[in-house]
């Protein structure tokens, strides 16, 4: 997948890129799938960056894939476990300790924040300290300090019914469960969007149905093609006037119906209307739409579209883009049922 290109250098080096793809099978998988969302080189829309091909090795799911944090960040909050008396050898162990206090079905997590000191030289006698904390407002975590001089690594965990934001459109609101333990940098950006007064420029601009290839539950029909159409709605999450920092590659599980993922390093993203096992582990997934709200996505995909061609792939672009606004939910909602979080 990709985005509408506006860099003429891509056409100049197209042959070189294709040759490299042929030599490296891991890049081949990513490149083929990328074309599905990658507009043609001659696009007149200068709002979108050129696609950057990234081949950083294995993007598959790993044991500790969903116990990630942000380095050089210290989150604050009331402690439920004091790090001076609670130590581990790795941030993953600290994260898992917090998760064990957030696995029940009888209410909010007892722990939703972990703070770990993992640099032996910088931490000194504090090396291994694991502070487990509880935020007053999970979607607005209390930050103590951040920057290169900060010795701590911090992470968030959203339990049942928590960490849900609203992607509001004129056709309804898509409630999205965020995955901060799988994609902490991505979720941190979404939380920043919640603090902005506007999200002018945030919108959906492409919509493609499941066609005859996938059933209503997102399962691929036997012997059916994998598109087009490609069963997705695609948009951009970048407020005009606010600089966007490219997102790092984070957890890349198999795309399922409801998955919300970046295209490359953002700010373009998509919501999948089907299970896309054929795309392998190519995209950072930072959330999932609640199953009951997928009908909103299905409404958007039925809007009038016009045909376009992106890198020799037929796509469907909305005749009128659908603006969206990110909203913080005032109350917790039910957790995901069928749209499972990556493990």
């Amino acid at each position: 997948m990709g985005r509408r290109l506006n860099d003429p250098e891509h056409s100049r080096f197209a042959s070189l890129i294709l040759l490299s793809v042929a030599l490296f099978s891991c890049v081949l998988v990513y490149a083929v799938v990328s074309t599905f969302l990658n507009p043609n080189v001659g696009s007149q829309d200068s709002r979108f960056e050129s696609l950057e091909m990234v081949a950083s090795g294995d993007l598959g799911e790993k044991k500790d894939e969903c116990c990630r944090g942000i380095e050089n960040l210290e989150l604050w909050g009331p402690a439920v476990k004091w790090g001076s008396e609670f130590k581990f050898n790795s941030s993953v162990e600290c994260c898992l300790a917090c998760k064990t206090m957030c696995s029940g079905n009888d209410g909010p997590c007892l722990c939703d924040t972990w703070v770990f000191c993992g640099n032996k030289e910088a931490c000194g006698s504090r090396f291994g300290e694991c502070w487990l904390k509880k935020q007053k407002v999970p979607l607005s975590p209390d930050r103590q300090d951040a920057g290169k001089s900060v010795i701590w690594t911090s992470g968030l965990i959203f339990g049942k019914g928590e960490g849900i934001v609203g992607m509001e459109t004129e056709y309804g609101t898509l409630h999205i469960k965020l995955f901060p333990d799988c994609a902490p940098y991505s979720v941190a950006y979404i939380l920043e969007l919640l603090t902005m007064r506007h999200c002018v420029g945030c919108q959906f601009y492409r919509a493609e149905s499941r066609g005859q290839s996938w059933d209503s539950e997102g399962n691929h029909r036997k012997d059916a093609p994998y598109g087009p159409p490609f069963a997705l709605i695609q948009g951009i999450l970048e407020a005009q006037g606010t600089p966007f920092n490219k997102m790092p590659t984070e957890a890349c599980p198999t795309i399922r119906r409801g998955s919300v993922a970046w295209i490359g390093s953002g700010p373009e993203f998509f919501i999948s209307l089907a299970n896309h096992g054929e795309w392998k582990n190519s995209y950072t997934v930072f959330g999932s739409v609640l199953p009951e709200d997928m009908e909103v996505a299905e409404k958007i995909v039925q809007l009038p579209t016009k045909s376009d061609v992106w890198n020799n792939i037929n796509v469907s672009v909305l005749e009128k883009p659908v603006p969206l606004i990110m909203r913080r939910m005032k109350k917790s909602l039910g957790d995901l049922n069928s749209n499972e979080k990556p493990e």
Side-chain angles (χ1 to χ4, degrees):
M1 297 188 194
R3 53 184 72 103
R4 281 179 264 190
L5 301 178
N6 60 8
D7 187 353
E9 292 297 320
H10 281 267
S11 58
R12 185 182 303 174
F13 296 105
S15 298
L16 180 59
I17 293 176
L18 291 176
L19 177 61
S20 300
V21 168
L23 295 176
F24 300 97
S25 59
C26 63
V27 180
L28 178 61
V29 173
Y30 182 82
V32 171
V33 179
S34 294
T35 60
F36 297 156
L37 289 183
N38 194 20
N40 62 310
V41 175
S43 172
Q44 297 178 354
D45 194 334
S46 61
R47 292 173 298 170
F48 302 102
E49 300 176 345
S50 59
L51 174 67
E52 293 189 0
M53 300 299 292
V54 179
S56 57
D58 182 16
L59 294 180
E61 297 175 51
K62 302 176 182 178
K63 182 178 180 180
D64 59 349
E65 195 82 4
C66 283
C67 248
R68 296 171 172 234
I70 297 178
E71 296 181 352
N72 306 121
L73 171 66
E74 182 181 7
L75 292 179
W76 208 237
V80 296
K81 285 284 186 180
W82 289 70
S84 55
E85 303 172 354
F86 197 62
K87 295 188 175 185
F88 290 104
N89 292 320
S90 71
S91 61
V92 172
E93 292 175 288
C94 183
C95 167
L96 291 174
C98 185
K99 281 192 172 185
T100 60
M101 302 177 70
C102 191
S103 59
N105 295 317
D106 54 354
C109 295
L110 298 178
C111 169
D112 56 21
T113 305
W114 56 270
V115 181
F116 179 75
C117 200
N119 186 315
K120 289 185 178 181
E121 182 178 349
C123 296
S125 61
R126 307 198 72 173
F127 172 73
E129 286 191 10
C130 174
W131 292 79
L132 304 186
K133 305 179 180 182
K134 175 66 177 175
Q135 297 293 328
K136 292 182 179 180
V137 183
L139 287 176
S140 183
D142 189 1
R143 175 185 291 194
Q144 173 69 3
D145 200 4
K148 293 183 178 180
S149 62
V150 178
I151 62 177
W152 303 95
T153 295
S154 299
L156 292 172
I157 295 172
F158 292 150
K160 184 177 178 64
E162 297 185 333
I164 297 175
V165 297
M167 187 176 285
E168 187 177 285
T169 76
E170 59 186 294
Y171 300 99
T173 299
L174 293 156
H175 293 97
I176 298 171
K177 172 79 171 186
L178 298 176
F179 302 153
D181 47 342
C182 298
Y185 289 93
S186 299
V187 170
Y189 174 70
I190 299 302
L191 297 186
E192 287 183 14
L193 284 181
L194 296 178
T195 66
M196 297 181 183
R197 295 183 177 180
H198 70 85
C199 197
V200 177
C202 297
Q203 62 181 9
F204 289 109
Y205 59 80
R206 177 186 176 188
E208 298 193 12
S209 70
R210 290 175 279 104
Q212 300 301 314
S213 297
W214 292 272
D215 64 23
S216 60
E217 295 181 353
N219 299 311
H220 185 255
R221 292 191 169 98
K222 185 178 180 180
D223 298 327
Y226 288 99
F230 294 105
L232 56 83
I233 53 176
Q234 179 176 337
I236 185 168
L237 282 174
E238 180 182 21
Q240 292 181 4
T242 302
F244 177 85
N245 296 319
K246 293 181 179 180
M247 291 292 111
T249 298
E250 301 186 276
C252 299
T254 300
I255 298 297
R256 301 182 182 279
R257 178 174 166 82
S259 292
V260 186
W262 293 119
I263 300 169
S265 54
E268 292 174 303
F269 75 105
F270 68 92
I271 295 176
S272 179
L273 303 182
N275 302 324
H276 284 291
E278 76 279 9
W279 291 350
K280 306 299 180 182
N281 305 99
S282 301
Y283 305 102
T284 294
V285 176
F286 58 89
S288 188
V289 177
L290 298 186
E292 56 268 30
D293 287 342
M294 285 302 292
E295 62 181 27
V296 177
E298 296 286 359
K299 287 181 182 179
I300 294 175
V301 86
Q302 297 301 321
L303 295 175
T305 60
K306 56 185 178 182
S307 298
D308 201 350
V309 179
W310 297 354
N311 287 358
N312 297 319
I313 299 294
N314 295 322
V315 299
S316 298
V317 179
L318 289 167
E319 292 184 357
K320 181 181 178 181
V322 177
L324 62 90
I325 301 175
M326 300 302 299
R327 301 286 193 190
R328 179 183 288 108
M329 297 294 98
K330 295 182 179 180
K331 297 181 179 180
S332 295
L333 300 175
D335 206 0
L336 298 178
N337 296 316
S338 60
N339 292 7
E340 296 182 357
K341 171 178 162 179
E343 296 177 355

